[in-house]
Amino acid sequence: GDGFLDIPPQGRVTEEEIRTNPNAAVDLTNGVYNVMWLGGFGPDVHGLQFITLTSIVSDDADKGSTPQDYSPALEIDNFTYGPTNAIVGNLWTGYYQAIARANQALDKLPLSPIDEADKNRLIGEVRFLRGYFYFNLVRTYGGVPKIDRVPTPEEANSDAFQTRATAADIYALIIEDLQFAVDNLPLKGATPVGRITKGAAQMLLGKVYMYQKNWQKTFELSQAVITSGLYDTLSNYADIWRTRGANSIESIFEVQTGTNAACNAAIELYANSQGIRARRGWSDFGFGFNNPTADLVAAYEPGDKRREATIITIQPNGTVLWDGFRVPSRDSVENDRYNYKAYHSRTQEPYCNSPDRTPKNLRVLRYGELLLQYAEAANELGNTGEALAKLNIVRKRAGLPNAVSGGQADLRLKIWRERRVELAMEHDRFWDLVRTGRAGVVMRAHGKNFVDNKNELFPIPQDQRLLSNNRLTQNPGYN
Amino acid sequence: RGSGAFMQAITIKGTVKGSDGAPIPGVTIQVKGTSTGTVTQPDGTYSINVPDANATLQFSYIGYTQQEIALAGRTTVDVVMTSSASELEQVVVVGYGTRRKRDVTGAVGSVRGEEIAKQPVNTATQGVQGKLAGVQIISSGQPGSQPQVRVRGTGSMLAGAEPLYVVDGILTNDIRNINTADIVSMDVLKDASSAAIYGVRGANGVIIITTKRGQAGKMEVSYNMTAGWRQAANLVEMANTQQYTAFLADAGPQVTIPDFGADTDWYGDVLRKGFQQTHNISLSGGSEKFLYYFNVGYLTDQGIVRNNQYDRFTIRSNNEWNIVEDKLKFVTQLSYMHNETDFVQLDDIYTNTYRAAPVIPIKRDGRYGNTSAFQNVGNPILTLDKTNDEIYENRLQGTTYLEYSPWKWLRLRSSIGVNQGFQNRRKYNDKYLNDEVTFLVAGGNQQRPESQLTIVKEQGTEWLWENTATYQQRFDKHDLTVLAGYTAQKYAGDYIEGSRRNVPNSTDLWYLIAGDPNTSTNTSDGDKYARTSILARVNYSYDDKYLLSASFRNDASSRFPSDNRNGYFPAVGLGWVISQEDFMQNQKLFNFLKLRGSWGRIGNDNIASNLYILTANSGLLYFFNGTATLGTNLSDIKDRNLKWETTQEYDFGLEFSMMDSRLTGEVNYYNKETIDALVTVRIPGLLGDPDNEYTTNAGSFVNKGWEFTLGWKDKISDDFNYTIGGNLTLNDNKVTGLNQGQPLFRGGVGQQGNITKTDNGQPIGSFFVLDAEGVFQNQAEIDNYLNKDGGKIQPNAAPGDLRYRDANGDGLINSDDRVYAGSYQPKLYYGINLGANYKSFDFSVDFYGNAGNKIYNGKKAFRYEITDNIEASYADKRWTSARPSTTDPRVLLGSTPASDYFIESGNFFRMNNITLGYSLPKAVLERIKFERLRIYLTSQNLFTIKKFTGFSPELVSGATKRDGFLSLQNSTSPLDAGIELYPYPTTKTFAIGLNVTF
């Protein structure tokens, strides 16, 4: 009879059971946070491939490692990539996996028996994350398919899901998601550390409006974060990216990590892929990718404390790191410079012997950036005084004299330059160059074969276009 | 003599021997047309009472020709039974019963156990290679591994392309526990009409294994042994220091090569000659009430890689109780296996051995050469030295049944089969640092700062309950057999795994409790599935001339959703024994001639359980307030309408026996179409599935082909006879539909990405790569290789680089220029078997070969690092300015695109086995009171003739997986077949053997 053959899956909770479990909505929400650890050499959200498309591509960093290692990243660095580049494909699948998790949670959250305020808080968290994922997607590929719910099997192959929405449509979805988050999330301190706060939503929404040049909105949302009084700059810039600076007063949105018995509670291949790579004679810290460029070194004004805090410079006779570790000599390692912000001390910081999953929190949004986005909006709105005041908070911490304004255009350039050094190696440089329309000029000056109206966006992955029966159109210049 | 009512029985006596002169016990002797019968004693003698001096005796035994001998007044009849794999008259097992091969309407092949037992092979499957048309066997050299079998082409796109094995009624897909010495016969049901009686799992053919049973008579004790060694049959010579240094000067001038004065042959140290031996002691005998067969076997096989070892201990006990003579019978057939493996992760070892640079020494003064500091490759010898991985496995398999015959024409049988396995794995990875205590120079990434112990316990139990009724009756010229049955089966298995770090290096401390509890990890998982079936079959023959068989099976499998759960598998076969016709009685050419044709449909559910049910992944970590919190997700995409993969096959055959049965043969044509093939297809990334693929019914394809089998045997004198046999299979595999889906791209080779494409009109897993036309000899050739707009087609090329054909004519070389370049599916394969007996000597030799397939030299193409070693043949042939080559490029890099430069011929011809034996003459045997004593020399795979420059043209797709208990599968699918990525050397074996019977 059929009873004999009706065998439920072993060791797996079925969708049916999820529906009837009151904790399911919370569990599914937490599962969305977890996807931010996705990395490695497959689908990627914040691992080496994310690093490649945000940092290695820019004038802040070179591919690094050995010349032959990881040629897909070399293609990105040199602007020779095409639609079949594996990294371009893996970021796409990683972010859509993240979006699918968010949609699954949003599908089940309304069914949850928990009270309305809690439910809206959870929905707010998930919508914030979905907005963040789409923001990275739209900045990488332009308009992408808009998947804002769980498709039924019948409609999964429909044109609505298999064709690209416009960038404007995606931005509209992002703004809607983030506005819901702003309206429903609690302030920092009123929710466990690591959960999305109203401040994070305000800052990200402000940043999204900055991409739309809606300066008034950027200004208001950034101002709300400042006036909340819950955030400030951390006095020692170098501490921001160390464990002691995790979830500090500076932190607004940060990917949480930790140590566990399996030693896998972190972003895969974030810190390790950027670790110092030995050529011989000692046990190294990683793969040696994402090396700060000489161009970045030169971007710092004399006396800027942030340069030493951002860049490990390997001296001919060795370099002593902040935790006392001594890199033996220049000829014992592959590269001249490494990213200090990604350095994780194995002796002074929590470490459980799994180099691929070093527990380094990724600082996505922090107060230093907020001040600069506020300053940029203020300057665009003609409020030079406010712009300078916030810019100079950032400069003061860096040990630099106050900037003065030589007019709106001059101040704009000063803020942009400050953004570069304040946020160096923090995955925003390339998008900033594109946002501000300088990418072609800057990248060509940097010796890269950047083609205008093409390289601002990455290509739609070739295999994804095939899987859509070519309903996904290609970005200009990549056909 | 007597007359009338006092008709007195006449006693006939004699001895039955095989063609090798050895007595054959257990031969059934029946007085034709009566129920009177007996069997031969262990010494081959018999005695039977016949009612009539002119009666006819029938001699029959599985695997031998049935003979009818008219007494014509004689009272002593000695018989020599002849046997041959290509024999038409033998009895074959057809599933839930046996038939004479002459009465079978489908395509069935059979190999006798002794053919297998004489070969020094670990699994019976290997021994069948080259013996049967339509059965392709690919075996790797790994001890304890199961060869890959393809019956009539690749019949499935997923890993479940293996045939079903039926061991004494037990359905399984792993027969590594079966001692070859216990096997009476292996029968292969090749076509759909034969296999349809196994409906659910017969789609890729069925291999039925029958084990030995006792025969009435005095106890027979026999001892069989082999001892010998195995070694790598063929090694790829790697570049030496001089060749390697010259290559790196071109490929990576920036690389500084350390000078240790070394010229290391890594294979020399990793590989060895592996000693192997087998011993079997069997006892058999019994009375009319009770028959027994008991065997104890021991096998030890070192394998050719250091530290590898496989020991297997088997017990078989097959017993038969005749509770009420001819009415009630109870039979048990049980086997127990225990094996212990010193396991070596051969993929890693072989890959690193292949990659390791000759400039690095293996070990000096107790310190290891640091390959990883120089080139990112672990030193394989260090890996072997620092790993201890032991696997213990127990397996109990058997059937018991009760058979009741209320009337002679009805047999009712109820059988319970069980297949139970338990496996225990203990893996200890010792700690070592990449410092100068361990290595000659410090550095690199080969290190393990903390030791780790992992314990895995796995168990699985499968039971099978079968109830059948067989009606058999002969009315005049009508012979009718009807079978009906119901079966049910269920599997449940699970594993538990735990690990801890910082466990001391001492065997007595290798328990998790000895490790650091803060590093404790554990997990467990399980699987269950069930099937039920109703089956029926009718066999009818009229006058032994016209044959009909029809069968029907209804299977239901838990692996499909309830709406699609039932599969209906009908089959029908017709046969015409032309030689029985009156018009054939006056010809002398054919002794036997049969024409047959059949059609059948069968299914395949050989996929993972529950692929249609959406499940959550739980245990997804994140930290809130610094505390670990668990989350879940539901992002997997599943096909909720999953259904049976079905195969439909037409089969036509002609079987004949000519020239006093000295020449026998068979020709088959088949056309096998698989529809709704289960396959894992890629799905758009925007659906968010974690691996961007799901299993669905997404393709159809056809295998069609011809099989030819021919056998010749002759007896020149009493001292000399010989046999010559051969078989040839032509197969054509073609994808016919992909259900409107995309072509399937598979076969990942490093940065080259997917190199196979499965698409309409091409064989499954066809290579799809650039067409390398040659090598640019100078800059002028590059400058003159222009597109129609006058632009350079390969502007970045340098002299010595490969020139690729601009296949789509767009003036660029990119992935759009890829073309089909053959597949691993052979167009033909063949076997040749020769045997001869001269006085007390016996000799046999078997050959096997295949042709028309291609291999992708993936290990050559997959350049992990610029510093990876290269093949010596490439080093010698590659283009240099001083030594221009038109075939081999100057350098190979990780970024060298996939092209037909890496594709080589898969053709090979091998001497599979050669055996020379000597049996003591009868006179000597009698003096020393032995029944039989034979000593022999044998060699497996003495030589292989091949074009392929890699290790072996026999590529089991991926390594045999160790997980997934009782559901052993090769880890990659046919879509990836034929890529030599992990270079496994095949092996050759030399052994001496002894057969003794008391």
Side-chain angles (χ1 to χ4, degrees):
Chain A
D2 256 14
F4 181 71
L5 295 170
D6 286 327
I7 299 177
Q10 304 294 297
R12 304 286 183 286
V13 180
T14 63
E15 189 188 18
E16 297 308 310
E17 287 159 313
I18 285 273
R19 279 184 200 283
T20 55
N21 175 357
N23 294 324
V26 181
D27 292 350
L28 285 166
T29 302
N30 295 342
V32 186
Y33 281 92
N34 166 275
V35 84
M36 292 195 288
W37 292 351
L38 198 62
F41 292 101
D44 192 298
V45 172
H46 283 139
L48 173 57
Q49 301 178 87
F50 169 76
I51 294 164
T52 306
L53 290 194
T54 55
S55 190
I56 289 174
V57 67
S58 77
D59 57 341
D60 274 3
D62 285 329
K63 191 206 70 167
S65 186
T66 63
Q68 294 295 332
D69 200 9
Y70 204 33
S71 66
L74 190 65
E75 291 173 11
I76 303 288
D77 197 9
N78 291 338
F79 289 88
T80 56
Y81 58 86
T84 56
N85 182 282
I87 298 171
V88 167
N90 285 330
L91 210 77
W92 176 281
T93 52
Y95 273 84
Y96 271 109
Q97 208 182 116
I99 287 163
R101 282 202 200 180
N103 286 333
Q104 289 284 1
L106 292 173
D107 193 44
K108 301 291 183 290
L109 275 163
L111 310 173
S112 174
I114 56 177
D115 74 64
E116 218 49 31
D118 279 346
K119 194 185 287 184
N120 281 335
R121 176 178 63 83
L122 292 172
I123 294 173
E125 291 177 19
V126 176
R127 290 189 72 173
F128 171 91
L129 291 169
R130 188 172 70 178
Y132 168 67
F133 299 145
Y134 267 116
F135 186 42
N136 285 350
L137 267 183
V138 76
R139 288 189 289 174
T140 306
Y141 302 100
V144 292
K146 182 175 141 185
I147 316 288
D148 57 355
R149 60 192 165 84
V150 182
T152 64
E154 295 71 36
E155 67 183 358
N157 199 32
S158 67
D159 283 353
F161 286 95
Q162 298 286 337
T163 55
R164 298 173 69 182
T166 62
D169 285 344
I170 297 299
Y171 272 110
L173 173 68
I174 295 167
I175 288 167
E176 201 185 316
D177 275 346
L178 294 178
Q179 188 62 52
F180 183 91
V182 168
D183 296 342
N184 289 280
L185 288 178
L187 288 166
K188 179 182 173 185
T191 191
V193 173
R195 291 207 170 270
I196 311 297
T197 59
K198 182 190 280 292
Q202 287 167 328
M203 177 177 173
L204 185 60
L205 184 55
K207 187 170 179 176
V208 168
Y209 278 126
M210 188 163 79
Y211 276 73
Q212 313 254 290
K213 299 194 167 37
N214 187 338
W215 302 111
Q216 187 59 39
K217 287 278 191 191
T218 306
F219 182 79
E220 286 167 12
L221 285 156
S222 305
Q223 189 179 43
V225 179
I226 294 168
T227 54
S228 74
L230 295 165
Y231 305 96
D232 199 354
T233 49
L234 191 65
S235 56
N236 182 7
Y237 180 84
D239 282 348
I240 294 173
W241 278 79
R242 295 180 192 161
T243 298
R244 95 171 67 120
N247 299 308
S248 69
I249 187 82
E250 172 117 11
S251 172
I252 296 179
F253 168 39
E254 157 167 348
V255 178
Q256 306 294 307
T257 65
T259 55
N260 61 335
C263 205
N264 60 1
I267 302 169
E268 188 174 0
L269 291 191
Y270 183 79
N272 194 42
S273 66
Q274 302 182 67
I276 301 169
R277 184 188 183 102
R279 184 174 283 162
R280 62 169 177 272
W282 63 288
S283 171
D284 66 15
F285 292 134
F287 304 169
F289 289 108
N290 200 28
N291 302 153
T293 57
D295 193 71
L296 177 63
V297 174
Y300 290 92
E301 294 165 55
D304 191 332
K305 292 179 191 170
R306 292 172 298 192
R307 194 185 61 170
E308 294 294 300
T310 305
I311 302 166
I312 299 172
T313 307
I314 306 295
Q315 306 295 345
N317 296 318
T319 297
V320 178
L321 303 177
W322 67 262
D323 58 351
F325 184 87
R326 188 172 181 282
V327 180
S329 60
R330 173 62 188 88
D331 63 0
S332 74
V333 301
E334 285 291 342
N335 314 95
D336 291 325
R337 285 176 292 275
Y338 295 97
N339 179 4
Y340 225 148
K341 289 176 175 173
Y343 176 71
H344 188 85
S345 172
R346 295 182 183 188
T347 53
Q348 305 296 310
E349 297 184 311
Y351 181 64
C352 49
N353 280 319
S354 174
D356 287 356
R357 299 260 197 176
T358 314
K360 164 76 84 181
N361 285 10
L362 175 68
R363 279 67 166 171
V364 180
L365 299 174
R366 62 181 178 85
Y367 197 65
E369 182 183 358
L370 182 97
L371 292 173
L372 293 173
Q373 95 185 25
Y374 175 88
E376 190 169 342
N379 183 51
E380 297 298 337
L381 294 170
N383 191 344
T384 313
E386 267 299 287
L388 267 180
K390 296 300 185 286
L391 172 65
N392 285 332
I393 297 173
V394 174
R395 288 180 62 81
K396 187 176 179 200
R397 175 172 61 176
L400 297 174
N402 281 346
V404 288
S405 172
Q408 193 187 43
D410 171 70
L411 186 52
R412 181 185 296 139
L413 288 177
K414 282 179 174 153
I415 293 166
W416 285 351
R417 196 181 63 193
E418 204 62 42
R419 265 189 88 87
R420 181 180 190 192
V421 289
E422 171 69 17
L423 301 174
M425 310 304 286
E426 294 188 35
H427 312 291
D428 228 38
R429 171 67 179 167
F430 184 73
W431 284 327
D432 250 349
L433 286 175
V434 173
R435 171 178 72 90
T436 55
R438 297 172 294 157
V441 173
V442 170
M443 294 309 295
R444 281 191 292 274
H446 186 56
K448 302 294 180 182
N449 184 27
F450 186 100
V451 177
D452 287 335
N453 300 319
K454 172 186 176 185
N455 291 119
E456 291 84 359
L457 297 175
F458 288 95
I460 303 300
Q462 180 67 22
D463 57 342
Q464 297 299 331
R465 295 192 59 219
L466 283 174
L467 288 167
S468 76
N469 272 326
N470 289 320
R471 281 178 287 178
L472 288 175
T473 54
Q474 187 51 281
N475 280 329
Y478 289 107
N479 271 315
Chain B
R1 290 296 173 127
S3 62
F6 292 98
M7 195 154 98
Q8 202 177 331
I10 307 162
T11 302
I12 311 293
K13 290 184 173 173
T15 310
V16 180
K17 292 179 184 171
S19 51
D20 58 353
I24 307 178
V27 176
T28 304
I29 302 157
Q30 198 153 12
V31 181
K32 194 176 178 182
T34 74
S35 60
T36 309
T38 185
V39 292
T40 54
Q41 299 299 304
D43 60 358
T45 60
Y46 71 93
S47 147
I48 188 170
N49 294 330
V50 299
D52 174 358
N54 289 317
T56 297
L57 294 183
Q58 291 175 322
F59 295 79
S60 58
Y61 187 54
I62 283 186
Y64 288 85
T65 310
Q66 178 173 306
Q67 296 196 35
E68 291 190 4
I69 294 178
L71 291 175
R74 288 178 295 171
T75 55
T76 302
V77 177
D78 291 338
V79 173
V80 175
M81 299 289 282
T82 53
S83 63
S84 162
S86 60
E87 188 54 63
L88 289 163
E89 290 284 309
Q90 71 195 42
V91 172
V92 293
V93 185
V94 293
Y96 306 99
T98 60
R99 310 260 326 146
R100 286 188 304 171
K101 185 154 193 288
R102 56 164 294 148
D103 295 338
V104 172
T105 57
V108 179
S110 190
V111 176
R112 282 178 305 124
E114 61 198 61
E115 291 281 321
I116 298 160
K118 77 175 187 188
Q119 301 179 57
V121 293
N122 294 354
T123 58
T125 322
Q126 241 175 305
V128 179
Q129 189 177 51
K131 296 273 196 282
L132 295 173
V135 182
Q136 185 199 8
I137 288 161
I138 304 170
S139 68
S140 80
Q142 189 179 2
S145 70
Q146 176 159 294
Q148 182 174 296
V149 180
R150 298 282 177 263
V151 176
R152 292 186 162 180
T154 297
S156 190
M157 288 186 181
L158 281 177
E162 295 290 302
L164 168 70
Y165 292 90
V166 180
V167 182
D168 293 331
I170 295 289
L171 279 55
T172 179
N173 47 15
D174 179 6
I175 59 155
R176 293 172 304 151
N177 61 320
I178 303 297
N179 185 344
T180 54
D182 289 334
I183 295 174
V184 174
S185 70
M186 282 178 80
D187 297 278
V188 183
L189 311 183
K190 296 189 288 192
D191 73 310
S193 79
S194 316
I197 198 68
Y198 286 106
V200 43
R201 293 173 69 189
N204 293 304
V206 180
I207 297 182
I208 302 177
I209 294 174
T210 309
T211 65
K212 289 178 179 169
R213 298 227 205 156
Q215 304 294 345
K218 81 173 174 68
M219 185 200 292
E220 179 188 287
V221 180
S222 67
Y223 167 70
N224 295 294
M225 65 85 71
T226 63
W229 75 88
R230 287 210 297 156
Q231 64 190 75
N234 168 62
L235 286 180
V236 173
E237 195 192 335
M238 300 306 293
N240 60 26
T241 288
Q242 181 257 322
Q243 291 166 316
Y244 176 78
T245 309
F247 172 76
L248 262 193
D250 287 341
Q254 75 281 8
V255 176
T256 317
I257 299 175
D259 183 11
F260 292 98
D263 192 357
T264 306
D265 168 21
W266 288 93
Y267 280 103
D269 260 48
V270 168
L271 301 182
R272 64 175 176 195
K273 275 184 187 172
F275 180 67
Q276 64 168 38
Q277 54 181 320
T278 61
H279 300 274
N280 279 287
I281 297 173
S282 70
L283 289 81
S284 71
S287 63
E288 282 177 2
K289 287 278 176 201
F290 174 65
L291 299 168
Y292 61 91
Y293 169 84
F294 180 82
N295 184 71
V296 180
Y298 172 70
L299 175 153
T300 178
D301 181 1
Q302 274 190 316
I304 60 164
V305 173
R306 257 161 73 132
N307 299 3
N308 198 1
Q309 169 103 12
Y310 179 75
D311 292 281
R312 185 181 71 186
F313 172 76
T314 52
I315 293 178
R316 172 168 293 279
S317 176
N318 290 353
N319 299 312
E320 188 172 327
W321 287 266
N322 286 304
I323 301 167
V324 181
E325 201 178 345
D326 295 335
K327 290 260 190 233
L328 190 63
K329 187 158 81 171
F330 180 66
V331 175
T332 62
Q333 292 165 302
L334 298 171
S335 74
Y336 167 78
M337 184 231 12
H338 173 78
N339 75 40
E340 300 186 7
T341 308
D342 290 334
F343 186 68
V344 170
Q345 198 70 50
L346 291 178
D347 295 2
D348 298 347
I349 294 299
Y350 280 139
T351 302
N352 289 347
T353 306
Y354 182 81
R355 295 176 61 199
V359 297
I360 305 293
I362 293 172
K363 199 175 181 181
R364 278 182 191 165
D365 308 323
R367 293 189 298 156
Y368 294 86
N370 197 336
T371 46
S372 87
F374 170 52
Q375 54 165 167
N376 236 354
V377 175
N379 181 328
I381 297 290
L382 173 62
T383 307
L384 286 168
D385 289 352
K386 296 292 183 184
T387 309
N388 183 299
D389 194 352
E390 288 192 14
I391 299 168
Y392 304 79
E393 194 176 353
N394 291 322
R395 197 151 160 207
L396 184 69
Q397 189 183 61
T399 326
T400 68
Y401 65 81
L402 197 63
E403 191 174 281
Y404 176 55
S405 284
W407 302 280
K408 278 186 79 165
W409 45 267
L410 184 66
R411 220 165 55 236
L412 305 170
R413 182 193 280 196
S414 182
S415 126
I416 291 279
V418 70
N419 190 6
Q420 185 169 45
F422 174 81
Q423 184 173 296
N424 184 8
R425 181 173 189 179
R426 184 191 70 195
K427 182 175 183 176
Y428 181 75
N429 288 316
D430 201 2
K431 67 174 177 191
Y432 56 94
L433 295 173
N434 56 358
D435 55 14
E436 296 194 348
V437 176
T438 307
F439 291 103
L440 290 169
V441 294
N445 55 16
Q446 187 181 18
Q447 62 167 331
R448 196 178 296 109
E450 295 173 302
S451 64
Q452 180 160 32
L453 176 71
T454 306
I455 306 280
V456 188
K457 288 183 192 285
E458 202 170 350
Q459 68 87 29
T461 304
E462 188 166 37
W463 59 256
L464 170 66
W465 185 42
E466 294 189 316
N467 299 287
T468 55
T470 309
Y471 164 91
Q472 188 163 19
Q473 192 70 287
R474 192 177 175 104
F475 320 90
D476 192 18
K477 289 180 172 177
H478 307 271
D479 193 346
L480 181 67
T481 308
V482 179
L483 167 81
Y486 173 81
T487 80
Q489 104 184 79
K490 189 163 191 173
Y491 168 83
D494 63 75
Y495 77 91
I496 181 162
E497 175 174 346
S499 80
R500 282 192 188 186
R501 295 201 292 271
N502 288 321
V503 178
N505 186 356
S506 161
T507 319
D508 295 326
L509 296 176
W510 285 347
Y511 300 92
L512 295 179
I513 197 169
D516 176 357
N518 293 321
T519 63
S520 196
T521 69
N522 60 64
T523 186
S524 92
D525 201 355
D527 184 25
K528 278 184 188 171
Y529 57 81
R531 302 187 183 98
T532 57
S533 315
I534 297 161
L535 58 97
R537 181 173 61 202
V538 176
N539 289 308
Y540 169 75
S541 75
Y542 176 75
D543 199 16
D544 288 340
K545 207 187 287 179
Y546 307 110
L547 312 167
L548 164 76
S549 72
S551 68
F552 176 80
R553 180 154 169 155
N554 167 18
D555 276 297
S557 165
S558 65
R559 285 174 166 166
F560 299 109
S562 51
D563 289 348
N564 298 342
R565 192 163 278 165
N566 278 286
Y568 302 98
F569 305 110
V572 62
L574 297 169
W576 177 28
V577 184
I578 303 168
S579 52
Q580 287 290 101
E581 294 287 354
D582 291 343
F583 60 80
M584 292 292 282
Q585 300 314 310
N586 293 325
Q587 55 84 35
K588 291 276 181 259
L589 189 60
F590 289 101
N591 312 87
F592 178 81
L593 184 64
K594 180 173 89 181
L595 191 63
R596 56 175 166 72
S598 71
W599 171 88
R601 180 181 285 168
I602 28 185
N604 190 358
D605 74 343
N606 211 348
I607 51 171
S609 309
N610 314 120
L611 283 178
Y612 64 95
I613 300 174
L614 186 58
T615 57
N617 293 314
S618 45
L620 303 172
L621 260 184
Y622 202 71
F623 291 86
F624 298 111
N625 277 341
T627 307
T629 312
L630 299 181
T632 55
N633 80 357
L634 270 172
S635 320
D636 260 339
I637 305 283
K638 298 281 180 82
D639 180 358
R640 296 170 200 232
N641 295 310
L642 213 58
K643 59 187 176 198
W644 291 92
E645 168 178 316
T646 52
T647 296
Q648 175 169 283
E649 183 173 0
Y650 295 94
D651 173 85
F652 301 97
L654 183 73
E655 297 168 21
F656 60 88
S657 169
M658 300 168 76
M659 302 166 76
D660 299 326
S661 294
R662 284 180 299 174
L663 181 67
T664 55
E666 182 171 340
V667 178
N668 285 310
Y669 171 78
Y670 60 87
N671 187 326
K672 182 164 96 163
E673 184 181 18
T674 303
I675 53 171
D676 295 329
L678 289 162
V679 66
T680 304
V681 301
R682 290 206 62 196
I683 50 176
L686 48 85
L687 297 174
D689 183 79
D691 56 9
N692 293 301
E693 53 185 34
Y694 79 148
T695 303
T696 186
N697 302 86
S700 50
F701 51 89
V702 170
N703 282 285
K704 54 187 170 191
W706 290 88
E707 296 167 353
F708 303 93
T709 305
L710 214 54
W712 171 264
K713 61 166 190 264
D714 201 3
K715 187 172 175 177
I716 305 297
S717 71
D718 283 346
D719 284 341
F720 182 64
N721 61 62
Y722 68 97
T723 60
I724 301 171
N727 64 73
L728 169 69
T729 307
L730 310 176
N731 186 66
D732 180 24
N733 175 286
K734 198 168 277 177
V735 177
T736 52
L738 290 163
N739 293 7
Q740 289 112 45
Q742 294 296 323
L744 305 164
F745 290 93
R746 289 298 151 83
V749 177
Q751 293 178 32
Q752 296 188 339
N754 294 321
I755 60 152
T756 74
K757 180 179 181 182
T758 297
D759 200 358
N760 290 335
Q762 297 290 332
I764 292 173
S766 291
F767 298 120
F768 191 65
V769 293
L770 294 178
D771 180 5
E773 295 181 310
V775 175
F776 287 118
Q777 297 299 318
N778 49 54
Q779 188 61 39
E781 288 189 15
I782 297 165
D783 295 342
N784 293 328
Y785 187 37
L786 302 173
N787 56 34
K788 55 181 182 290
D789 301 327
K792 286 187 209 173
I793 291 177
Q794 284 178 254
N796 300 323
D801 284 354
L802 288 169
R803 190 183 71 229
Y804 303 107
R805 184 162 67 89
D806 180 19
N808 68 351
D810 67 352
L812 302 168
I813 300 297
N814 56 27
S815 59
D816 298 335
D817 292 307
R818 290 181 291 172
V819 293
Y820 289 106
S823 82
Y824 191 57
Q825 315 268 349
K827 292 193 168 70
L828 63 92
Y829 48 93
Y830 54 94
I832 301 168
N833 311 297
L834 310 173
N837 292 293
Y838 177 70
K839 291 188 173 168
S840 299
F841 290 93
D842 59 273
F843 172 77
S844 70
V845 58
D846 299 331
F847 300 93
Y848 175 69
N850 83 19
N853 62 343
K854 302 287 184 205
I855 296 174
Y856 194 82
N857 197 333
K859 66 191 188 324
K860 187 174 174 183
F862 194 167
R863 306 283 304 164
Y864 294 77
E865 297 280 342
I866 190 71
T867 46
D868 285 357
N869 202 7
I870 52 169
E871 297 174 5
S873 58
Y874 166 68
D876 287 338
K877 286 192 295 186
R878 73 188 179 90
W879 188 95
T880 63
S881 51
R883 189 193 58 203
S885 162
T886 55
T887 53
D888 292 74
R890 190 177 69 103
V891 293
L892 292 176
L893 305 172
S895 53
T896 304
S899 71
D900 62 359
Y901 170 72
F902 299 103
I903 289 179
E904 303 183 34
S905 164
N907 298 0
F908 71 92
F909 176 72
R910 144 167 342 136
M911 181 186 276
N912 236 1
N913 179 270
I914 180 164
T915 302
L916 178 65
Y918 173 74
S919 303
L920 281 190
K922 190 151 190 162
V924 182
L925 288 173
E926 274 168 5
R927 212 178 320 134
I928 58 174
K929 302 226 156 37
F930 278 40
E931 290 288 341
R932 183 174 187 226
L933 195 156
R934 174 172 174 265
I935 185 162
Y936 64 99
L937 288 167
T938 187
S939 173
Q940 197 76 12
N941 189 18
L942 190 60
F943 67 83
T944 303
I945 300 168
K946 64 181 178 62
K947 285 185 187 159
F948 181 52
T949 61
F951 288 85
S952 170
E954 283 193 273
L955 301 167
V956 174
S957 348
T960 304
K961 254 189 177 174
R962 272 247 157 233
D963 46 10
F965 209 58
L966 296 184
S967 54
L968 182 92
Q969 290 196 335
N970 291 314
S971 58
T972 51
S973 78
L975 306 182
D976 296 339
I979 302 167
E980 191 191 46
L981 209 49
Y982 302 115
Y984 277 72
T986 46
T987 58
K988 58 180 160 192
T989 308
F990 301 92
I992 183 164
L994 183 68
N995 310 120
V996 186
T997 306
F998 307 95

